[in-house]
């Protein structure tokens, strides 16, 4: 019995040492992944810093022009119509930058062989994807805020700001940017990507309930609109800016979260470093 006790104590010490080493190794892996993501995010931020003027112009020019055109064209709009016009143009700016520009730029990088460089680095794909998503978020949020401010001044209304606007805004941007990043990584050819995102941009902006109410569209377009995250984003944004958080806003926000998660899963499956 006395000989067994030292043996058991030695086994316990070895077990504790193994658990300590495994914990230390996992902590090192987490720290390395965080450092990787910070480096990749810094690279993406550098790209924005070098071209921020053009990004700002592209993000604001089309939706701001449409916003002012509708201001001149619409006579005595009701508060509901004014809110629809402003939120619709905020989403238009998001579609231009988050869907159109992100898809074209990632597609161009892919077919120019830029991803081959990243494939030679000891980085995780998920870090590369989230760094690109961060760039999309940074590119879209300023135009969102600017168009909201200009829209309120142009139409003379005041939005209702509440804490519920934060998740709606983040998930709206994230779901649309996720779709743009997915198309860019999926891109079989740069020409096809250009045509696809241009067509999608015009279709989503003007033939789904982004600029108009759902009941103003033909029935077939109403059914098609349910497959786009912008339909739920427009509904959630309009309601949260008019009356604050509600059950309807919560439901649309939940759908946007679903679109965001689906886009991340599909992106992880579609990221190919090299073009075949």
């Amino acid at each position: 019995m006395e000989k067994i006790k030292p043996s058991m104590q030695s086994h316990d010490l070895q077990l504790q040492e193994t658990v300590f080493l495994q914990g230390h190794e996992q902590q090192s892996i987490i720290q390395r992944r965080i450092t990787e993501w910070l480096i990749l995010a810094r690279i993406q931020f550098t790209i924005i810093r070098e071209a921020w003027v053009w990004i700002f112009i592209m993000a604001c020019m089309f939706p701001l022009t449409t916003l002012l055109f509708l201001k001149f064209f619409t006579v005595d709009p009701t508060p509901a119509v004014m809110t629809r016009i402003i939120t619709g143009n905020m989403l238009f700016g998001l579609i231009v930058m988050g869907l159109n520009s992100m898809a074209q730029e990632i597609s161009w990088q892919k077919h120019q062989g830029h991803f081959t460089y990243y494939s030679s680095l000891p980085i995780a794909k998920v870090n590369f994807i989230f760094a690109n998503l961060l760039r999309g978020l940074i590119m879209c949020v300023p135009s969102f805020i600017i168009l909201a401010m200009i829209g309120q001044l142009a139409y003379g209304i005041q939005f209702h700001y509440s804490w519920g606007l934060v998740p709606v805004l983040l998930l709206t941007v994230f779901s649309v940017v996720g779709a743009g990043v997915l198309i860019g990584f999926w891109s079989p050819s740069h020409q096809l990507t250009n045509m696809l995102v241009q067509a999608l941009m015009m279709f989503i902006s003007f033939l789904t309930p982004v600029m108009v109410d759902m009941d103003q569209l033909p029935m077939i377009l109403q059914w098609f609109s349910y497959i786009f995250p912008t339909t739920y984003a427009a509904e959630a944004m309009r309601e949260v800016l008019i009356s604050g958080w509600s059950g309807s806003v919560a439901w649309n926000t939940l759908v946007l979260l679903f679109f965001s998660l689906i886009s991340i899963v599909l992106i992880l499956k579609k990221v190919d470093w090299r073009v075949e």
Side-chain angles (χ1 to χ4, degrees):
M1 191 69 183
E2 291 178 354
K3 291 180 179 178
I4 294 175
K5 282 185 177 178
S7 175
M8 291 180 63
Q9 289 175 352
S10 175
H11 181 266
D12 290 343
L13 288 173
Q14 288 178 355
L15 184 62
Q16 289 177 3
E17 186 178 358
T18 303
V19 171
F20 174 77
L21 291 174
Q22 286 178 346
H24 183 70
E25 185 179 357
Q26 289 177 353
Q27 187 177 6
S28 300
I29 292 172
I30 293 172
Q31 288 177 348
R32 190 170 73 244
R33 295 303 182 203
I34 293 174
T35 305
E36 280 177 21
W37 185 82
L38 289 174
I39 293 171
L40 292 169
R42 192 173 176 182
I43 292 172
Q44 300 298 324
F45 182 74
T46 304
I47 296 172
I48 295 177
R49 189 178 61 182
E50 291 180 353
W52 71 270
V53 175
W54 292 111
I55 291 172
F56 178 81
I57 292 173
M58 283 295 296
C60 296
M61 184 176 65
F62 291 112
L64 185 59
T65 304
T66 311
L67 181 72
L68 295 178
F69 167 75
L70 291 174
K71 165 67 177 174
F72 304 144
F73 184 77
T74 309
V75 179
D76 296 329
T78 63
V81 172
M82 289 188 287
T83 306
R84 165 67 67 186
I85 291 172
I86 297 170
T87 56
N89 280 281
M90 290 163 64
L91 280 171
F92 186 28
L94 174 60
I95 292 167
V96 171
M97 297 307 296
L99 183 69
N100 189 20
S101 295
M102 283 300 294
Q104 290 194 51
E105 189 165 338
I106 291 176
S107 169
W108 180 81
Q109 290 181 7
K110 176 181 177 180
H111 294 284
Q112 288 292 317
H114 290 195
F115 293 170
T116 307
Y117 166 75
Y118 288 102
S119 69
S120 64
L121 300 175
I123 59 174
K125 282 184 180 180
V126 66
N127 278 340
F128 182 68
I129 291 167
F130 275 98
N132 276 277
L133 287 172
L134 176 68
R135 178 156 63 99
L137 290 172
I138 294 174
M139 287 168 58
C140 295
V141 170
S143 71
F144 238 61
I145 297 171
I146 291 169
L147 288 170
M149 294 172 63
I150 294 176
Q152 288 181 94
L153 289 173
Y155 287 90
I157 64 172
Q158 180 63 46
F159 286 144
H160 175 82
Y161 293 106
S162 64
W163 63 269
L165 184 59
V166 177
V168 172
L169 175 63
L170 289 178
L171 287 173
T172 295
V173 176
F174 203 84
S175 59
V176 176
V177 170
V181 172
L182 173 61
I183 294 173
F185 281 126
W186 163 79
S187 168
S189 72
H190 190 54
Q191 290 77 13
L192 177 62
T193 305
N194 278 341
M195 289 190 294
L196 178 63
V197 293
Q198 294 284 349
L200 268 178
M201 181 179 72
M202 301 309 293
F203 184 86
I204 294 174
S205 300
F206 300 110
L207 295 180
T208 65
V210 170
M211 295 285 189
V212 297
D213 289 325
M214 179 72 88
D215 55 10
Q216 292 178 286
L217 296 170
M219 186 58 69
I220 189 169
L221 291 180
Q222 292 185 24
W223 283 108
F224 267 115
S225 65
Y226 286 114
I227 65 175
F228 299 112
T230 46
T231 300
Y232 308 93
E235 190 68 26
M237 283 188 57
R238 190 176 72 252
E239 190 162 341
V240 78
L241 286 173
I242 291 176
S243 55
W245 189 262
S246 66
S248 174
V249 176
W251 165 249
N252 286 300
T253 305
L254 194 63
V255 177
L256 291 174
L257 176 63
F258 174 74
F259 271 103
S260 302
L261 295 176
I262 288 292
S263 64
I264 290 172
V265 172
L266 292 177
I267 291 168
L268 286 171
K269 290 183 176 296
K270 289 295 179 184
V271 174
D272 294 323
W273 295 116
R274 295 177 177 82
V275 180
E276 295 180 357

